[in-house]
Amino acid sequence: MSAHTAQTELKLIGKLILEGEMRCETGLHVGAGKGSLEIGGSDNPVVKDAYGRPYVPGSSLRGKIRSLLEQASGLAVPSELVYLSRRKGQEVRIHQSDRPDDEICLLFGRNPGRMERVQGETLETSQATPARLAVYDAPLEPESITAQMRENLDDELTEVKSENAIDRITGQANPRTLERVPAGARFKTRFVMDVLCDEDAPLFSRVLEGLRLLEDDALGGGGSRGSGRVSFSGLRLAWRGKSYYASGAAEKEIGAGATLGAIQQAVNEAAFAFIHED
């Protein structure tokens, strides 16, 4: 847990900005939902922008990172989970607590109010916590879909993966199709973490931990069937203190052209001393 207490004062010190590329190591399916189904199209289309290009919503990326960090912290257990939705078949359970040093709630925010726990007494808190981490929509880099790749795609920018679900009694196959962004495609990613007090800075290490966990997990649907493996590269981390916004001072580059491991090493070596160099 962090060093935050109920008396910790919040005032913007600066922002940590991590930008880079996310590469699809296998096909990636981030679903658009049933409302986007077109005649003759895939049963499960990917989400696309207004120009018809696939992208990764910031909410999908942020939610996966949060889920992985909750699991890594031992917080994905009934006594630590609350219901966001109890609609039958569409239940949503996430971690939330009223502890001032809860790193998940500090990173992703929490609202005051009454929430029903999955197990145990109802959670009631009057404490609102502003989210430190913002994760932006990741647009596709169109040039990453090469001419050679396009020759083998089912659509201009995507492929269709066919799968079968087998009935265990009759042996009957139930075919389904999954639209995917092909392996080799790249997306531009941007993460911004607000540092509102000295105690916030170490939270960025959890962000990097979540991204490294994601590289060995899966993003989007079909992860257990081979989809959704991604990797991060070409990363650049910069610190922008208050003077950057107030008077146009230069930002401080912490690391560039790097992998997650190299960014972690640069952050550890700096020990977040740069937040006081403004």
Side-chain angles (χ1 to χ4, degrees), residues 116-159:
E116 185 178 352
R117 291 189 191 274
V118 173
Q119 184 181 91
E121 297 182 359
T122 300
L123 173 66
E124 292 190 49
T125 178
S126 59
Q127 184 175 7
T129 302
R132 271 59 164 188
L133 180 64
V135 182
Y136 292 85
D137 290 350
L140 176 72
E141 296 185 16
E143 66 275 10
S144 68
I145 309 292
T146 65
Q148 183 180 6
M149 291 167 66
R150 290 175 193 265
E151 291 178 1
N152 300 296
L153 294 179
D154 300 278
D155 197 357
E156 183 181 1
L157 298 172
T158 61
E159 64 185 8

Side-chain angles (χ1 to χ4, degrees), residues 33-43 45 48 155:
K34 299 294 184 181
S36 299
L37 185 62
E38 298 178 0
I39 296 175
S42 167
D43 298 334
K48 298 182 177 72
D155 197 357

Side-chain angles (χ1 to χ4, degrees), residues 57-223:
S59 57
S60 298
L61 192 50
R62 188 176 188 268
K64 184 63 180 184
I65 294 168
R66 176 173 183 156
S67 175
L68 290 170
L69 287 175
E70 288 175 355
Q71 293 174 15
S73 303
L75 299 174
V77 294
S79 60
E80 289 285 349
L81 299 176
V82 299
Y83 285 103
L84 286 187
S85 170
R86 295 208 65 175
R87 186 175 180 181
K88 190 174 181 180
Q90 298 181 13
E91 294 88 354
V92 178
R93 295 168 282 248
I94 68 168
H95 163 72
Q96 187 148 304
S97 78
D98 56 357
R99 298 187 293 270
D101 60 351
D102 189 317
E103 294 179 341
I104 300 299
C105 292
L106 290 167
L107 268 177
F108 299 97
R110 64 183 148 197
N111 295 318
R114 179 186 176 94
M115 305 190 79
E116 185 178 352
R117 291 189 191 274
V118 173
Q119 184 181 91
E121 297 182 359
T122 300
L123 173 66
E124 292 190 49
T125 178
S126 59
Q127 184 175 7
T129 302
R132 271 59 164 188
L133 180 64
V135 182
Y136 292 85
D137 290 350
L140 176 72
E141 296 185 16
E143 66 275 10
S144 68
I145 309 292
T146 65
Q148 183 180 6
M149 291 167 66
R150 290 175 193 265
E151 291 178 1
N152 300 296
L153 294 179
D154 300 278
D155 197 357
E156 183 181 1
L157 298 172
T158 61
E159 64 185 8
V160 174
K161 181 186 180 187
S162 297
E163 300 178 335
N164 271 320
I166 307 298
D167 184 277
R168 298 311 193 259
I169 304 297
T170 66
Q172 181 178 350
N174 179 24
R176 60 193 177 199
T177 57
L178 192 73
E179 186 179 25
R180 306 194 307 178
V181 180
R186 300 189 304 274
F187 295 86
K188 295 180 180 179
T189 57
R190 177 179 171 88
F191 306 86
V192 178
M193 196 191 87
D194 292 345
V195 177
L196 304 180
C197 57
D198 289 348
E199 293 87 345
D200 277 352
L203 293 174
F204 190 71
S205 296
R206 300 305 308 273
V207 177
L208 297 175
E209 177 188 353
L211 291 173
R212 295 206 74 173
L213 286 167
L214 178 55
E215 287 189 326
D216 283 336
D217 204 273
L219 179 64

